[in-house]
Amino acid sequence: MSSVGHHGLGYSLLYPYQGFWFTDPVLESIKDFQQNLKALDSDLILASQPKSGTTWMKALAFAIANRTRYPIFSSSHPLLTTSPHDLVPFADFKHFHKEHSLLDYTNTSSQDLPSRLIATHLPYPLLPESVKDGATKCKIVYICRNPRDTFVSVWHFMNKIGDNKKSGTPLSIEDAFEYFCDGVSDFGPYWDHVLGYWKESLASPHKVLFVKYEDLMNEPETQVKKLAEFLGYGFSVEEESRGVIKEIISLCSFQHLKNLDANKQEQSGDNFLAHNKDFFRKGEVGDWKNYLTPTMVERLDSLTKEKLQGSGLAFRSE
């Protein structure tokens, strides 16, 4: 790792590590995760880039995998009173918050929950070897958002937290755009991150599920059923007839989560930088239209086409 930090699209200085960019504070957690996690066959890894639907995916996966323990129709469901980020911890920020039982990598016995749900923003090549090992049956879900909306959401988020907030001088969208296009963004470059999981989902579809944020928005029932099947918690005919899928979608919807008191709090128990409310802005598809100039759109689209050429991965222009 370089000892010199670089300004970029992050909450503080970014440092290159194994081909990607990270803030110095998270590197200890990343190395711990890489070196010490002994993946269990029942482990479920939720991966994403920042601001790509992570909170939504955490809520959905938690509700699906725990619906026997926590009935969806219950008025005491944990998602009604607890942030998804506290229910599904980030491995990347382990060393910044209180120890979470699911991040005790030395405990390979059966867990209190049906499956360990662990979230990460790490690119696929940097995941622990025990996760990538073909002999391990643990599964990975990757949620991806189109680069236009991802950039705008990251820019807003980074101006709410870290150095930009402390200095009182927000990072301009022009500067942020240059950093994003150059790949100097937290856990970036964006395209390398996306391609790592995309290619692995094609090579090992039983191991990696690639979910597009836009598809989840446009066809939630189809995507949630697919997600549940992949996770190993498929819905029964009886559950479908009772409206369990629709109830999960409603419980985990952006607007519902945003309006809960738990997600309006100033600080989450396990979030060292951001307040719970910082994770909920708009959650819309196409919000980029309110911020990007035609020149920016043209450049970003051209760059995306170049980077993803031949991969089979494409994004709709919405």
Side-chain angles (χ1 to χ4, degrees), residues 153-164:
S153 189
V154 169
W155 169 60
H156 277 288
F157 185 72
M158 293 307 175
N159 273 334
K160 289 181 181 178
I161 66 174
D163 291 348
N164 297 328

Side-chain angles (χ1 to χ4, degrees), residues 52-63:
S52 294
T54 309
T55 309
W56 192 12
M57 181 56 72
K58 283 185 176 187
L60 286 170
F62 182 88

